[in-house]
Amino acid sequence: MNAKAVKSLAGDISLVENDSPKAETLLDAAWKAGKHAYRIGITGPPGAGKSTLVNCLAAEFSNAGKHTAVISVDPSSPFTGGAILGDRIRMNALSSRDNVYIRSMATRGSLGGLSMKTHDVCDILDGNDFDIILIETVGVGQIELDIAQAADVTLTVLVPESGDDIQAMKAGIMEITDIFVVNKSDRHGAEAMVLNLRSLTKLRRNYSTLPWEQPVIKTVATEEIGIDIVLDKLEQFEVMLKKHDNWESIRNERMKRKVLQLINETLSDSFWTKERKKYLNNELRLSEQTGKSPFRIAENLLSSLRNT
Ligand SMILES: Nc1nc2c(ncn2[C@@H]2O[C@H](COP(=O)(O)OP(=O)(O)OP(=O)(O)O)[C@@H](O)[C@H]2O)c(=O)[nH]1
Ligand SMILES: [Mg+2]
């Protein structure tokens, strides 16, 4: 990408992030043009080596001639460009490449808002002819589940000491992970961690129609060890999705979610007139005296909808 193209893309993404009235036109065009990028989510606890790994993967995709985007989503930072200094330095080397684009996104309002924006930004990138979109998020609860919905494949990065993290994230992590990576496997306990994860993956996620078992891969991202295996598995997963028609159904599901979201937002916005807000506040204030339940209050509000 030349400097002009990068600037124009960055501008488009900012319009989407800021809910500009122009965003809708951009997203319309993106939906029309896009749908071919492979969206790869990378999640895991703080400091697990996600950025280091993403950096290795992005470099390999770029070497293979793929137009590659990296979005780092930082739910803990209220600043845009929340990437830490080390990330920046490493990423700078990468972003000077012609076929790589890097963008950080940070929380401005709610986490829900951030993940919706992430979906939109992925759509913009897809519409701009990217082949690969890597999305890095710190695993801090709900957010990685939301981000997983934006991705075609989710890679969870753990380290030999992640036993407690697995306990804390257990159900969620098994549900969303397609590929496990035990990074920092130059450190003690990597093998035990791999065995632990393998036994868990046997019990957990049910891919039903998909012939896939969650692989557990050891890496040392700082020395680029194991990266080739991660790339192989990512490619196998993509081939499998396409072969079993899941590629299409993931995109349809994404489209459906977007439509539902837009309908919900529009209905909700038009419903909450000044009068209805006032009515609600009044009922809340008087609830001690009236003893009305939320069901009765909602019913009254909705009845006003039926009468109009
Ligand atoms: N020993 C060892 N250190 C590693 C490895 N991979 C990454 N690191 C180091 O771990 C630290 C954190 O790496 P990052 O890639 O920034 O981790 P992260 O998961 O992106 O961190 P956050 O985005 O802050 O959650 C850095 O100092 C890396 O150099 C590895 O395989 N082995
Ligand atoms: Mg990082």
Side-chain angles (χ1 to χ4, degrees):
M1 286 172 98
N2 60 33
K4 204 170 149 212
V6 168
K7 202 166 164 208
S8 144
L9 177 60
D12 287 358
I13 292 178
S14 296
L15 291 173
V16 167
E17 278 191 311
N18 296 327
D19 274 331
S20 152
K22 288 191 194 128
E24 206 171 302
T25 319
L26 290 172
L27 284 162
D28 269 347
W31 272 93
K32 202 166 172 191
K35 297 194 190 147
H36 85 278
Y38 187 24
R39 305 180 182 197
I40 304 172
I42 294 103
T43 185
K50 299 178 293 297
S51 299
T52 316
L53 186 76
V54 164
N55 212 58
C56 296
L57 294 173
E60 291 299 327
F61 284 124
S62 155
N63 289 344
K66 304 215 168 180
H67 206 175
T68 304
V70 177
I71 315 177
S72 39
V73 183
D74 186 348
S76 61
S77 165
F79 308 107
T80 16
I84 55 167
L85 192 62
D87 276 5
R88 286 256 178 83
I89 293 166
R90 256 178 286 130
M91 291 288 184
N92 275 346
L94 201 59
S95 64
S96 63
R97 295 182 182 215
D98 269 358
N99 59 359
V100 177
Y101 177 76
I102 294 168
R103 175 89 181 198
S104 302
M105 295 180 65
T107 321
R108 297 196 181 171
S110 64
L111 284 183
L114 177 64
S115 60
M116 266 187 260
K117 287 283 183 308
T118 306
H119 285 232
D120 289 343
V121 170
C122 286
D123 295 334
I124 291 284
L125 291 166
D126 205 344
N128 274 275
D129 244 12
F130 280 88
D131 303 306
I132 301 285
I133 304 173
L134 293 154
I135 314 154
E136 175 189 344
T137 359
V138 187
V140 287
Q142 183 58 37
I143 185 90
E144 77 263 26
L145 303 181
D146 292 341
I147 301 294
Q149 293 189 327
D152 297 312
V153 60
T154 299
L155 210 143
T156 299
V157 184
L158 297 163
V159 293
E161 301 84 357
S162 289
D164 290 345
D165 292 319
I166 296 179
Q167 281 309 315
M169 306 188 267
K170 203 156 57 187
I173 202 177
M174 286 295 155
E175 278 303 310
I176 63 164
T177 304
D178 301 301
I179 298 172
F180 280 103
V181 170
V182 177
N183 189 43
K184 306 198 184 184
S185 56
D186 49 327
R187 301 212 299 223
H188 180 72
E191 200 50 47
M193 189 66 196
V194 169
L195 292 176
N196 182 2
L197 280 171
R198 289 223 169 101
S199 64
L200 283 174
T201 55
K202 292 241 167 0
L203 302 175
R204 293 285 176 155
R205 182 162 175 176
N206 179 3
Y207 277 88
S208 59
T209 56
L210 286 183
W212 188 255
E213 280 177 29
Q214 293 152 303
V216 184
I217 305 165
K218 277 199 288 189
T219 59
V220 184
T222 38
E223 290 170 40
E224 294 171 34
I225 296 173
I227 305 302
D228 49 341
I229 305 175
V230 177
L231 286 166
D232 269 359
K233 287 292 173 192
L234 284 171
E235 195 187 331
Q236 278 174 30
F237 198 84
E238 183 185 7
V239 168
M240 179 194 72
L241 288 182
K242 288 182 171 162
K243 188 169 158 204
H244 292 265
D245 294 334
N246 280 62
W247 187 263
E248 279 304 310
S249 60
I250 287 173
R251 272 147 192 75
N252 285 341
E253 192 54 40
R254 219 173 258 153
M255 189 153 193
K256 182 175 160 191
R257 263 201 308 274
K258 189 73 201 172
V259 173
L260 293 183
Q261 178 212 326
L262 292 169
I263 299 282
N264 285 345
E265 277 174 10
T266 308
L267 288 182
S268 174
D269 284 352
S270 66
F271 181 80
W272 287 110
T273 57
K274 235 190 222 157
E275 291 73 36
R276 291 199 177 103
K277 279 186 190 157
K278 199 167 148 200
Y279 172 85
L280 174 62
N281 285 333
N282 216 28
E283 288 292 342
L284 295 176
R285 201 161 40 81
L286 298 175
S287 63
E288 276 293 311
Q289 295 154 40
T290 62
K292 269 189 206 158
S293 74
F295 296 92
R296 294 291 76 77
I297 298 174
E299 190 179 65
N300 287 343
L301 280 163
L302 287 167
S303 73
S304 70
L305 187 67
R306 281 192 284 276
N307 294 336
T308 53

